[in-house]
Amino acid sequence: MTDFNRTRAAFHLPEGVTYLDGNSLGPMPLAARDRVARMMQDEWAEELIRGWNSAGWYEQPRRVGDRVARLIGAGPGQVVMGDTLSIKVFQAVSAARALRPERRVILSDSGNFPSDLYVAEGLARAVGAELRVVEPEAVADAIGPDLAVLMITEVDYRTGRRHDMAGLTARAHEAGALTVWDLAHSAGAVDVDLLGADADFAVGCTYKYLNGGPGAPAFIWTHPRHAEAAEPILQGWMGHAAPFAFDLGYRPASGIERMRVGTPPVIAMTALDAALDVWEGVALADLRARSIELTEAFIAGVEANCPGVTLNSPRDPALRGSQVGFRHPQAYAVMQALIAEGVIGDFRAPDVLRFGFAPLYNGLDDVARAVDVLARLLRDGSWDKPEFHRKAAVT
Amino acid sequence: MTDFNRTRAAFHLPEGVTYLDGNSLGPMPLAARDRVARMMQDEWAEELIRGWNSAGWYEQPRRVGDRVARLIGAGPGQVVMGDTLSIKVFQAVSAARALRPERRVILSDSGNFPSDLYVAEGLARAVGAELRVVEPEAVADAIGPDLAVLMITEVDYRTGRRHDMAGLTARAHEAGALTVWDLAHSAGAVDVDLLGADADFAVGCTYKYLNGGPGAPAFIWTHPRHAEAAEPILQGWMGHAAPFAFDLGYRPASGIERMRVGTPPVIAMTALDAALDVWEGVALADLRARSIELTEAFIAGVEANCPGVTLNSPRDPALRGSQVGFRHPQAYAVMQALIAEGVIGDFRAPDVLRFGFAPLYNGLDDVARAVDVLARLLRDGSWDKPEFHRKAAVT
């Protein structure tokens, strides 16, 4: 049985804050601060360039990748870390498309995170493919013989709706296409099983439920059946078969290593590595069960106590990730008022109050407090003040 | 007059080490360790998601970019930070090529860092362009009417040879082509003047002479005349005109901001920001003068005292960056022996001993010690031991 008291104690959670925005940025694991300070002094400052060997920096993206692999149903040696999620989307979709060169359609849905669509659009324009975007419910029926790549974010960033990874993958495979799954809101949130779903490629970020810190490195996974055939467009020296031979021509490294691009971000990767310590001993089945307990309790509490909001997430927990959205016509101001009271969720345009539940550190006490404060604000109208309507640069 | 005693005192330089490998990885500025620790506690841990506004994380890539701009002869608002150098090479070359769509040649030279060639090759294959690679001396004559983009690394990573940026740029412009300059071994090492040279695009890394730490973020510069026309292939949400509107379609941000891709690496950028403090008050003319003083003294010292090595860098300082290479048939083992004595340079295949001179922290005492130890090793043959011939994973 996973000990969620232990995992909660591993984080710095500020006094007076109920943090329900770990689906945007996870809180700091205490070990991350200490590990980074040690890395900077003992490795960078003392070892200097030797750190690439003596401190294992060069191997770090693969070693950390193996730790992420366990949390997404992948095997060892199948995941590598680096860059940002946008770059990894580009790597995965370009490699998948290159495996289906005679087909030109990249299919996605309007519930996908916009950046994935921007990246696919830029790629499609460059290589003469076509990005087709349909409604989330229409994805399965839009899969046809012209499909090269199905690019889907498993859990919708606004609604928390969870796509059927195994079902859509099977459907894509029947049509002769490949799949790229974005796990931004899945990794560390739900019981992802990439090998079980027979997916082809997957990517994700680590600053949300994996708590790697702001701008933490992304990950990419390739199914072993594609690992030696995949040819990404971004050919960086760290993905070369022999980076330090300094050959003038590119030869891809074996397996997932070819998905590496430039010099890895060692300081950031060290923070992430420390954050992954917290996951040791966490069973994904326990994580999922606790996530459902929290989101069910929150939905029930809000619907029983908070006037003027409408559920914007699937009611069936099987179709939901680890977050809940409610719509309110003045969602921005309501969220600002909540934050001023120390209940931190976030706003997503145009009218969504979004709350993420991270089993590693959120409990039923957080659910109760969030419901209480939201109910009071909505009942007494105290969210409707000028200072809460003023928009910040980043929301 | 720049105070190089002040700048030297700003670094942690390990006891007993003579560090001449800052052209691979700069040493740690003491402020970087403290600033990162503070950022992690006061910003990430305490502010959580609010840090994007309250701690200025969102603006950081532009703000830090402005600090780099001064060191490369660019203006404010023209540089943005992020990703790795490989990604930024891809962004710059793809944007430059898109401005010359009717031309298909990307020209570079065999003295370029191989990763730049790999990246350009992957891009060329994807978009139907052609990468042409000539000898460094043949670049000027290879510029013709089919040229879209001249992609050159200003200072050669092995020899330190410095290309004539203004001259080659003028020649490329006469032929109707655009230039992309890689400043990996220039920024912080020589007196770069992008606007003065009338260059079109430039990119660089910050973990060498700018001392940002292992895997520190890269930078990209676009000449203002291209800033509103450049259309990079990598369309990330941070380069969108309104990232938080979550539009389904991509609209590039104004100016250099469109070169941003994914979520910026805040922890790494904070280390870099602290490292840039050391550059306050450093005049590029003083930097260049001191660099020449150091490399001239080293060449003279080695040639007078060290048998069996041959200069592998231009003798004329005007044609040289801030590094010096010597060839030796057993360069790998000789370098390992030097490192064992605390004189850290590096080896570059097949036979180059490479020494970088960073005016911010290297002095004539470093030159003297490096010459002394190298002379002794080469005279008594004590570099020729089995342990020095054994290759490490990363060299």
Side-chain angles (χ1 to χ4, degrees), chain A residues 12-76:
Chain A
H12 177 90
L13 297 165
E15 200 62 37
V17 166
T18 297
Y19 196 57
L20 302 177
D21 205 9
N23 50 336
S24 239
L25 175 68
M28 188 187 74
L30 295 164
R33 183 190 55 202
D34 303 338
R35 195 84 65 83
V36 165
R38 217 157 57 226
M39 176 261 145
M40 291 185 75
Q41 186 59 44
D42 298 350
E43 300 179 12
W44 179 15
E46 284 294 332
E47 291 293 293
L48 298 156
I49 188 66
R50 298 168 294 192
W52 287 104
N53 287 306
S54 64
W57 297 344
Y58 182 72
E59 300 301 325
Q60 198 184 27
R62 254 290 275 287
R63 192 176 55 71
V64 174
D66 278 349
R67 306 189 74 185
V68 171
R70 184 184 79 81
L71 303 175
I72 57 176

Side-chain angles (χ1 to χ4, degrees), chain A residues 237 242-248, chain B residues 113-114 118 157-158 347-349 395:
Chain A
W237 71 315
F244 293 91
F246 299 106
D247 298 339
L248 291 186
Chain B
F113 190 66
Y118 306 158
Y157 76 106
R158 283 169 310 188
F347 162 79
R348 280 295 174 258
T395 57

